[in-house]
Amino acid sequence: HTHTHTHTHRHTHTHTREAYDDKQVVTEIMARCFIPTLITTTSWESFHFIGHEIRITEAMDCYGAVVWPSALVLCYFLETNAKQYNMVDKNVIEIGAGTGLVSIVASLLGAHVTATDLPELLGNLQYNISRNTKMKSKHLPQVKELSWGVALDTNFPRSSNNFDYILAADVVYAHPFLEELLITFDHLCKETTIILWAMKFRLEKENKFVDRFKELFDLEEISSFPSLNIKLYKAVKKNRRSV
């Protein structure tokens, strides 16, 4: 659904091993998505992860209700790195969950998932999560409203925030609320929480946010997909006591 801009200024030595790997993996990631040929009133797509067909209904009237490539990258990462990032029985929260694909994949991998987003997205989010995890997931995911920076102490009191992982895909896109996003990341994080965050770089804004983010968190790029302009990061709170 997103327009791909061809970047003419990309490095000329595209035939390097890395570029080849990127193309291979990107092809594999994109192949997980099946768009039905029959146009129906509700638009949906189907995705293949963890041996399941995941059907996602998209609401075309708002941003958060379309599956972006960053979500696919994050799902693919979770599935292919399930040993190193074991989700079984872990407490996981997704911010800006949108259609719920990432939360569904984390749930199918065995996590206790809380999928969060703005109130107007929760209906579609709940629908997608329920239909794709019922009878399949070890723990039924929860869906909760989370508007960044709003009522965090009330709805997510620090004392009960016990998240092993925070998942985020493309949360920086077109948002004026980046400071609130930062506050939210900070609020949900304990010393041991790991943030896994996939982001498509479209504008200067993304770089600015990354710089701001680095003031509070240790950020590590764990993979990069140049052909999609997407990077996957792992982050932990700065100056946490060494475990």
Side-chain angles (χ1 to χ4, degrees):
H1 297 287
T2 44
H3 304 290
T4 46
H5 304 286
T6 46
H7 292 274
T8 38
H9 57 267
R10 197 170 285 137
H11 311 301
T12 41
H13 53 273
T14 323
H15 296 294
T16 56
R17 177 89 204 129
E18 202 173 89
Y20 173 75
D21 288 346
D22 172 52
K23 285 273 188 297
Q24 290 289 94
V25 177
V26 166
T27 306
E28 157 71 7
I29 291 172
M30 293 327 214
R32 299 302 185 94
C33 173
F34 296 81
I35 300 169
T37 43
L38 230 113
I39 302 299
T40 53
T41 45
T42 57
S43 79
W44 58 272
E45 290 180 69
S46 153
F47 300 87
H48 287 212
F49 288 103
I50 340 277
H52 290 279
E53 181 184 350
I54 301 170
R55 273 186 88 163
I56 295 287
T57 306
E58 305 191 326
M60 295 325 247
D61 53 344
C62 50
Y63 263 144
V66 179
V67 175
W68 299 103
S70 295
L72 293 183
V73 165
L74 187 48
C75 290
Y76 180 82
F77 178 82
L78 291 175
E79 177 181 336
T80 50
N81 293 276
K83 276 201 172 62
Q84 196 185 347
Y85 296 89
N86 185 352
M87 293 285 142
V88 179
D89 299 335
K90 295 290 196 295
N91 285 319
V92 174
I93 187 168
E94 184 185 6
I95 58 172
T99 56
L101 181 64
V102 174
S103 282
I104 290 162
V105 167
S107 175
L108 292 172
L109 285 165
H112 288 277
V113 176
T114 305
T116 71
D117 214 319
L118 300 170
E120 60 269 27
L121 297 178
L122 297 186
N124 189 48
L125 178 58
Q126 181 69 68
Y127 174 73
N128 282 331
I129 283 186
S130 299
R131 75 179 290 185
N132 288 292
T133 58
K134 261 198 188 105
M135 317 288 287
K136 296 177 187 172
S137 287
K138 187 173 177 185
H139 312 286
L140 221 51
Q142 268 193 303
V143 171
K144 276 180 84 167
E145 175 185 335
L146 197 170
S147 305
W148 300 340
V150 178
L152 292 175
D153 292 320
T154 315
N155 300 337
F156 297 89
R158 274 187 199 266
S159 53
S160 58
N161 286 348
N162 203 5
F163 300 112
D164 299 297
Y165 291 100
I166 299 175
L167 304 178
D170 251 352
V171 283
V172 178
Y173 183 47
H175 272 289
F177 304 115
L178 297 185
E179 200 51 42
E180 288 83 341
L181 174 59
L182 205 60
I183 289 165
T184 303
F185 270 131
D186 185 63
H187 181 86
L188 297 172
C189 259
K190 295 184 312 169
E191 292 190 343
T192 52
T193 306
I194 292 172
I195 298 171
L196 292 174
W197 166 33
M199 179 158 86
K200 189 172 176 76
F201 284 79
R202 300 177 177 81
L203 313 154
E204 190 44 46
K205 189 187 278 184
E206 280 90 2
N207 295 314
K208 278 205 186 77
F209 183 73
V210 168
D211 290 341
R212 186 77 188 80
F213 189 85
K214 280 178 176 165
E215 293 169 20
L216 293 180
F217 298 91
D218 289 320
L219 194 62
E220 182 193 335
E221 186 181 306
I222 42 181
S223 58
S224 167
F225 303 91
S227 62
L228 295 173
N229 270 348
I230 290 173
K231 289 184 174 182
L232 183 62
Y233 294 109
K234 170 187 177 178
V236 290
K237 238 178 192 170
K238 259 195 197 311
N239 37 17
R240 47 187 206 148
R241 291 190 295 278
S242 42
V243 187

